[in-house]
Amino acid sequence: MSPLRRFPRIFSVGPELLKPNSLAKVPTADLFTKLGFFTHPKPGLVHWLPLGTSVLDKLTSIIHRHMRNSGAEEVRMSALSPAALWQQTGRWTGTELFKLHDSSGSEYCLAATCEEDITAVAAAQIASYKSLPLLYYQINTKFRDEKRPRAGLLRGREFIMKDAYSFDVSPEAAMESYEEMVAAYHRVFSELRVPYVKAEASTGDIGGSLSHEWQYVHPSGEDTLFRCTGCDAVLNVEKTLSFPAEDPANGKAGGPVSVEYFVTDDKNTLVCAYFLSDRTLLPNLLQDEVPEIDLKCGLTQDQILALFSGEDALLSKNVIRVMDLRLHSRSNFPDFPIKFVSRALITTLTDIPIVEAVHGEICGQCSEGVLESSRAIEVGHTFYLGEKYSKPLQCTVSVPGNDGTLETVNAFMGCYGIGVSRLIAAIGEINRDLMGFRWPACIAPWSATVINASTDFSKSERVVSELHDAGVDVRCDDREGLGLGRKIKETKLVGIPLVVIVGKNFPIVEVEIRGKKYNDLWKSLFAQDSEGWEVEYLEDGTSDIKHKVHIERLGSVVASLLKDM
Ligand code: ATP
Ligand code: MG
């Protein structure tokens, strides 16, 4: 038997996986391991097994194709990254780095992301503006000491990431590279046929000034997104400005008020943020009012207040009080913990939105639409970085100035991630139904399962070779001692898009559709630069359609069915 025909092993299909009610209770991460896609020797670690490897190979080849088509060149960076680079960018103290040292004591981390290393490589390579633009990408394992690894591949301590990095001579050229990558992301995510959104996001630890997250809206997600019904903006909660739906004077403004303390970079100004106790402060919104605020000073509330204790300190230091716009003069403020010397040193800013939005509030961007919230799974992130890494790592480029002489400027960068292994977990979770997984055909472990309902194996051999000749990735389940019904259930459980049943009507065979069929609306929506929020209408959900097909036409029928799945 040729290896192409062998049926990859499916492990421990216990009775609980064969009945819809009990299958529904099996968490997706467990379903993956029970069926043998991968196993986790410890939470956050993964051994990829044949079924999982097959999905991973197909997914990575889609990403490779779109990266290359957008002009990106493939690199493979070392998994060990020298500490010195991270010290130069100030990220060596990052709590998610796995750190280690060699026998001579030199320190490294396992690559958690690659801005430092790739910028050092580019710095050595780029001679003049003529070498730019430069766009590198790789697909490999990244390591992060996640405190709470979750749901198998969704949050691993090792995970597979596609990361790309662009280097340009100016901010304008860097934005062009950014937009090209955004277009490539639309192509990748629309090919995967799982509805996605592109949301404005904060730049977090990676830094830079502009970023978008690529998200799958789903209740199991860890992120909160808002969409405005007026201006259609889609925003991560960290970027969502909101106004109360009703005048604070009529609302709960009289309720208890909480305060959190911050300090500026120079440690000379105490920033006190006041907000209603039943809301969550969004510290990065304070940055718009107090740009020099240090949101990562690492000090506790008591340590911050201690900087402003003695009277001497208060003679030279300032206090800025920022009041959330939901507060009111009748609100129930906590006592000010410091005995201040002069009121002149205190500035009070009122009517500033500084808390996380909640569903139903008014959009802070257009001031008209209502904010609708949803949970979402982040599967990609694109950042405009500017000079954030090129400056400390001296990645410079010489460009002709106005008078024709060469001047040296820092390269302008962007970085672009896709969580490849997380995508597999997310698509598995989002697409599963009462029968099991349901893969988009482009990443299914294989496209069709041929099942023989008679004892004459020559017929199924003929079917397999017809499909093989038509370029269909097919497996034949000719295991003995297992009934037809059980084999059909298993291939549906694994999520294979088509089942081809070879029975007594041969040369007519039956093709049963398991995969989701997508209609033309999907294609037209994603051909544009759509933000893709309207997800419900995109899929016709047919799974029980059966086609009777003559063997002579089987290859072309199956190939055309798969195109829509
Ligand atoms: P998260 O907020 O989920 O921790 P992140 O913002 O730290 O993600 P990035 O540094 O932007 O993630 O990494 C790029 C992509 O890699 C993310 O969009 C996500 O899809 C994926 N990713 C990040 N951390 C993990 C992880 N621990 N396990 C699996 N995938 C991950
Ligand atoms: Mg993270």
Side-chain angles (χ1 to χ4, degrees), residues 417-467:
I418 291 182
V420 179
S421 47
R422 180 180 288 180
L423 260 177
I424 294 174
I427 294 174
E429 169 84 28
I430 293 166
N431 276 13
R432 70 178 274 199
D433 64 9
L434 291 176
M435 286 183 279
F437 288 123
R438 215 172 166 205
W439 295 104
C442 59
I443 60 165
W446 62 93
S447 305
T449 305
V450 173
I451 302 179
N452 203 341
S454 79
T455 48
D456 180 357
F457 286 105
S458 67
K459 291 176 186 167
S460 52
E461 264 166 30
R462 165 99 196 273
V463 170
V464 167
S465 84
E466 286 291 329
L467 290 172

Coordinates of all heavy atoms in Angstrom, one line a residue, residues 417-467:
G417 N 3.4 40.3 12.9 CA 3.4 39.0 13.5 C 2.1 38.3 13.1 O 1.0 38.9 13.0
I418 N 2.2 37.0 12.9 CA 1.0 36.1 12.9 C 1.3 34.9 13.8 O 2.3 34.3 13.8 CB 0.7 35.6 11.4 CG1 0.3 36.7 10.5 CG2 -0.4 34.5 11.5 CD1 0.0 36.2 9.1
G419 N 0.3 34.7 14.7 CA 0.4 33.5 15.6 C 0.0 32.3 14.9 O -1.2 31.9 14.9
V420 N 0.9 31.6 14.2 CA 0.6 30.5 13.4 C 0.0 29.3 14.1 O -1.1 28.8 13.8 CB 1.9 30.0 12.6 CG1 1.6 28.8 11.7 CG2 2.5 31.2 11.8
S421 N 0.6 28.9 15.3 CA 0.1 27.8 16.0 C -1.2 28.2 16.7 O -2.2 27.4 16.8 CB 1.1 27.3 17.0 OG 1.7 28.3 17.7
R422 N -1.3 29.5 17.1 CA -2.6 30.0 17.7 C -3.7 29.9 16.7 O -4.8 29.6 17.1 CB -2.4 31.4 18.3 CG -3.7 31.9 18.9 CD -3.5 33.3 19.5 NE -2.7 33.3 20.7 CZ -2.5 34.4 21.4 NH1 -3.0 35.6 21.0 NH2 -1.8 34.4 22.5
L423 N -3.4 30.2 15.5 CA -4.4 30.2 14.4 C -5.1 28.8 14.3 O -6.3 28.7 14.2 CB -3.8 30.5 13.1 CG -3.9 31.9 12.5 CD1 -3.1 32.0 11.2 CD2 -5.3 32.3 12.2
I424 N -4.2 27.8 14.4 CA -4.8 26.4 14.3 C -5.7 26.2 15.5 O -6.8 25.6 15.3 CB -3.6 25.4 14.3 CG1 -2.8 25.6 13.0 CG2 -4.1 24.0 14.4 CD1 -1.5 24.8 12.9
A425 N -5.3 26.5 16.7 CA -6.2 26.3 17.8 C -7.5 27.1 17.7 O -8.6 26.7 18.0 CB -5.5 26.7 19.1
A426 N -7.3 28.4 17.2 CA -8.5 29.3 17.1 C -9.5 28.8 16.0 O -10.7 28.7 16.2 CB -8.0 30.7 16.8
I427 N -8.9 28.4 14.9 CA -9.8 27.9 13.8 C -10.5 26.6 14.2 O -11.7 26.4 14.0 CB -9.1 27.7 12.5 CG1 -8.6 29.1 12.0 CG2 -9.9 27.1 11.4 CD1 -7.7 29.1 10.7
G428 N -9.7 25.7 14.9 CA -10.3 24.5 15.4 C -11.5 24.8 16.3 O -12.6 24.2 16.2
E429 N -11.3 25.8 17.2 CA -12.4 26.2 18.2 C -13.6 26.8 17.5 O -14.7 26.5 17.8 CB -11.7 27.1 19.2 CG -12.7 27.8 20.1 CD -13.1 27.0 21.4 OE1 -12.2 26.2 21.8 OE2 -14.2 27.2 21.9
I430 N -13.3 27.7 16.6 CA -14.4 28.5 16.0 C -15.2 27.7 15.1 O -16.4 27.8 15.0 CB -13.8 29.8 15.3 CG1 -13.1 30.7 16.3 CG2 -14.8 30.5 14.4 CD1 -12.2 31.8 15.6
N431 N -14.6 26.8 14.3 CA -15.3 26.1 13.3 C -15.9 24.7 13.8 O -16.6 24.1 13.0 CB -14.4 25.7 12.1 CG -14.3 26.9 11.1 OD1 -14.7 28.0 11.4 ND2 -13.7 26.7 10.0
R432 N -15.6 24.3 15.0 CA -16.1 23.0 15.4 C -17.6 23.0 15.6 O -18.2 24.1 15.9 CB -15.4 22.4 16.6 CG -15.7 23.1 17.9 CD -14.9 22.4 19.0 NE -15.7 21.3 19.5 CZ -15.5 20.7 20.7 NH1 -14.5 21.2 21.5 NH2 -16.2 19.7 21.2
D433 N -18.3 21.9 15.4 CA -19.7 21.8 15.6 C -20.0 20.5 16.3 O -19.1 19.9 16.9 CB -20.4 21.9 14.2 CG -20.1 20.8 13.3 OD1 -19.5 19.8 13.7 OD2 -20.5 20.8 12.1
L434 N -21.3 20.1 16.2 CA -21.7 18.9 17.0 C -21.0 17.6 16.5 O -21.1 16.6 17.3 CB -23.2 18.7 16.9 CG -24.0 19.8 17.6 CD1 -25.5 19.7 17.4 CD2 -23.7 19.8 19.1
M435 N -20.4 17.6 15.4 CA -19.8 16.4 14.9 C -18.3 16.4 15.1 O -17.6 15.4 14.9 CB -20.1 16.2 13.4 CG -21.5 15.7 13.2 SD -21.8 15.3 11.5 CE -22.2 16.9 10.9
G436 N -17.7 17.6 15.4 CA -16.3 17.7 15.6 C -15.6 18.8 14.9 O -16.3 19.9 14.7
F437 N -14.4 18.7 14.5 CA -13.7 19.8 13.8 C -14.3 19.9 12.4 O -14.9 19.0 11.8 CB -12.2 19.5 13.6 CG -11.5 19.6 15.0 CD1 -10.7 18.6 15.5 CD2 -11.5 20.8 15.6 CE1 -10.1 18.7 16.7 CE2 -10.8 21.0 16.9 CZ -10.1 19.9 17.4
R438 N -14.0 21.1 11.8 CA -14.5 21.3 10.4 C -13.6 22.3 9.7 O -13.7 23.5 9.8 CB -15.9 22.0 10.6 CG -16.9 21.6 9.6 CD -18.2 22.1 9.9 NE -19.1 22.0 8.8 CZ -20.1 22.8 8.5 NH1 -20.5 23.7 9.4 NH2 -20.9 22.6 7.5
W439 N -12.5 21.7 9.1 CA -11.4 22.6 8.6 C -11.8 23.3 7.3 O -12.4 22.7 6.5 CB -10.2 21.8 8.4 CG -9.6 21.2 9.7 CD1 -9.7 19.9 10.2 CD2 -9.0 22.0 10.8 NE1 -9.2 19.8 11.4 CE2 -8.7 21.0 11.8 CE3 -8.6 23.3 10.9 CZ2 -8.1 21.4 13.0 CZ3 -8.0 23.7 12.1 CH2 -7.7 22.7 13.1
P440 N -11.3 24.5 7.1 CA -11.3 25.1 5.8 C -10.5 24.1 4.9 O -9.4 23.6 5.4 CB -10.6 26.4 5.9 CG -10.6 26.7 7.4 CD -10.7 25.4 8.1
A441 N -10.9 23.9 3.7 CA -10.2 22.9 2.9 C -8.7 23.2 2.7 O -7.9 22.2 2.7 CB -10.8 22.8 1.5
C442 N -8.3 24.4 2.7 CA -6.9 24.8 2.4 C -6.0 24.3 3.6 O -4.8 24.2 3.3 CB -6.8 26.3 2.2 SG -7.4 27.3 3.5
I443 N -6.5 24.1 4.8 CA -5.6 23.6 5.8 C -6.0 22.3 6.5 O -5.5 21.9 7.5 CB -5.4 24.7 6.9 CG1 -6.7 25.1 7.6 CG2 -4.7 25.9 6.4 CD1 -6.5 25.9 8.9
A444 N -7.0 21.7 5.9 CA -7.5 20.4 6.5 C -6.3 19.4 6.4 O -5.6 19.4 5.4 CB -8.7 19.9 5.7
P445 N -6.2 18.5 7.3 CA -5.1 17.5 7.3 C -5.1 16.8 5.9 O -4.0 16.5 5.4 CB -5.5 16.5 8.4 CG -6.3 17.3 9.4 CD -7.1 18.3 8.5
W446 N -6.2 16.5 5.3 CA -6.3 16.1 3.9 C -7.7 16.5 3.5 O -8.6 16.8 4.3 CB -6.0 14.6 3.7 CG -6.9 13.6 4.4 CD1 -8.1 13.0 3.9 CD2 -6.8 13.1 5.8 NE1 -8.6 12.2 4.9 CE2 -7.9 12.3 6.0 CE3 -5.9 13.3 6.8 CZ2 -8.1 11.6 7.2 CZ3 -6.1 12.7 8.0 CH2 -7.2 11.8 8.2
S447 N -8.0 16.4 2.1 CA -9.2 17.0 1.6 C -10.4 16.1 1.6 O -11.5 16.5 1.7 CB -8.9 17.6 0.2 OG -7.8 18.5 0.2
A448 N -10.1 14.8 1.3 CA -11.2 13.9 1.2 C -10.8 12.5 1.7 O -9.7 12.1 1.6 CB -11.6 13.8 -0.3
T449 N -11.8 11.8 2.4 CA -11.5 10.5 2.9 C -12.4 9.5 2.0 O -13.6 9.8 1.8 CB -12.0 10.3 4.3 OG1 -11.4 11.3 5.1 CG2 -11.7 8.9 4.8
V450 N -11.7 8.6 1.4 CA -12.4 7.5 0.6 C -12.7 6.4 1.6 O -11.8 5.9 2.2 CB -11.6 7.1 -0.6 CG1 -12.2 5.9 -1.3 CG2 -11.3 8.2 -1.5
I451 N -14.0 6.0 1.6 CA -14.4 4.8 2.5 C -15.0 3.8 1.6 O -16.0 4.1 0.9 CB -15.3 5.3 3.6 CG1 -14.7 6.4 4.4 CG2 -15.7 4.1 4.5 CD1 -15.5 6.9 5.5
N452 N -14.5 2.6 1.8 CA -15.1 1.5 1.0 C -16.2 0.8 1.8 O -16.1 0.3 2.9 CB -13.9 0.4 0.8 CG -14.2 -0.4 -0.4 OD1 -15.3 -0.5 -0.8 ND2 -13.1 -1.0 -0.9
A453 N -17.4 0.8 1.1 CA -18.6 0.1 1.8 C -18.7 -1.3 1.3 O -19.7 -2.0 1.7 CB -19.8 0.9 1.5
S454 N -17.9 -1.7 0.4 CA -18.0 -3.1 0.0 C -16.7 -3.9 0.3 O -15.8 -3.2 0.9 CB -18.2 -3.2 -1.5 OG -17.0 -3.0 -2.2
T455 N -16.6 -5.1 0.0 CA -15.3 -5.8 0.3 C -14.4 -5.8 -0.9 O -13.3 -6.4 -0.8 CB -15.7 -7.3 0.7 OG1 -16.5 -7.8 -0.3 CG2 -16.3 -7.4 2.1
D456 N -14.8 -5.2 -2.0 CA -13.9 -5.2 -3.2 C -13.0 -4.0 -3.1 O -13.4 -2.9 -3.5 CB -14.8 -5.2 -4.4 CG -14.0 -5.1 -5.7 OD1 -12.8 -5.1 -5.6 OD2 -14.6 -5.2 -6.8
F457 N -11.8 -4.2 -2.7 CA -10.8 -3.0 -2.5 C -10.4 -2.4 -3.8 O -9.8 -1.3 -3.8 CB -9.7 -3.4 -1.6 CG -10.1 -3.6 -0.2 CD1 -10.2 -4.8 0.4 CD2 -10.3 -2.5 0.6 CE1 -10.6 -5.0 1.7 CE2 -10.7 -2.6 1.9 CZ -10.9 -3.8 2.5
S458 N -10.5 -3.2 -4.9 CA -10.0 -2.6 -6.2 C -10.8 -1.4 -6.6 O -10.3 -0.4 -7.2 CB -10.1 -3.7 -7.3 OG -11.5 -3.9 -7.6
K459 N -12.1 -1.3 -6.1 CA -12.9 -0.1 -6.5 C -12.4 1.1 -5.8 O -12.3 2.2 -6.3 CB -14.4 -0.4 -6.1 CG -15.1 -1.4 -6.9 CD -16.5 -1.7 -6.4 CE -17.2 -2.8 -7.1 NZ -18.4 -3.3 -6.4
S460 N -12.1 1.0 -4.5 CA -11.7 2.2 -3.7 C -10.3 2.6 -4.2 O -9.9 3.7 -4.2 CB -11.7 1.9 -2.2 OG -11.0 0.8 -1.9
E461 N -9.5 1.6 -4.6 CA -8.2 1.9 -5.2 C -8.3 2.8 -6.5 O -7.6 3.7 -6.7 CB -7.4 0.6 -5.6 CG -6.5 0.2 -4.5 CD -5.9 -1.2 -4.6 OE1 -5.8 -1.6 -5.8 OE2 -5.7 -1.8 -3.6
R462 N -9.3 2.4 -7.3 CA -9.6 3.2 -8.5 C -10.0 4.6 -8.1 O -9.5 5.6 -8.7 CB -10.7 2.4 -9.3 CG -11.3 3.2 -10.4 CD -10.7 2.9 -11.8 NE -11.1 3.9 -12.7 CZ -12.2 3.8 -13.4 NH1 -13.1 2.8 -13.3 NH2 -12.5 4.8 -14.3
V463 N -10.9 4.7 -7.1 CA -11.3 6.1 -6.7 C -10.2 6.9 -6.2 O -10.0 8.1 -6.6 CB -12.4 5.9 -5.6 CG1 -12.8 7.3 -5.0 CG2 -13.7 5.3 -6.2
V464 N -9.3 6.3 -5.4 CA -8.2 7.0 -4.8 C -7.3 7.5 -6.0 O -6.9 8.7 -6.0 CB -7.4 6.1 -3.9 CG1 -6.0 6.8 -3.6 CG2 -8.2 5.9 -2.6
S465 N -7.1 6.6 -7.0 CA -6.1 7.1 -8.0 C -6.8 8.2 -8.9 O -6.1 9.1 -9.3 CB -5.5 5.9 -8.8 OG -6.4 5.5 -9.8
E466 N -8.1 8.1 -9.1 CA -8.8 9.2 -9.9 C -8.6 10.5 -9.2 O -8.3 11.5 -9.8 CB -10.3 8.9 -10.0 CG -10.6 7.8 -11.0 CD -10.4 8.2 -12.5 OE1 -10.5 9.4 -12.8 OE2 -10.1 7.3 -13.2
L467 N -8.8 10.5 -7.9 CA -8.7 11.7 -7.1 C -7.3 12.2 -7.0 O -7.0 13.4 -7.1 CB -9.3 11.5 -5.7 CG -10.8 11.3 -5.6 CD1 -11.2 10.9 -4.2 CD2 -11.5 12.6 -6.0

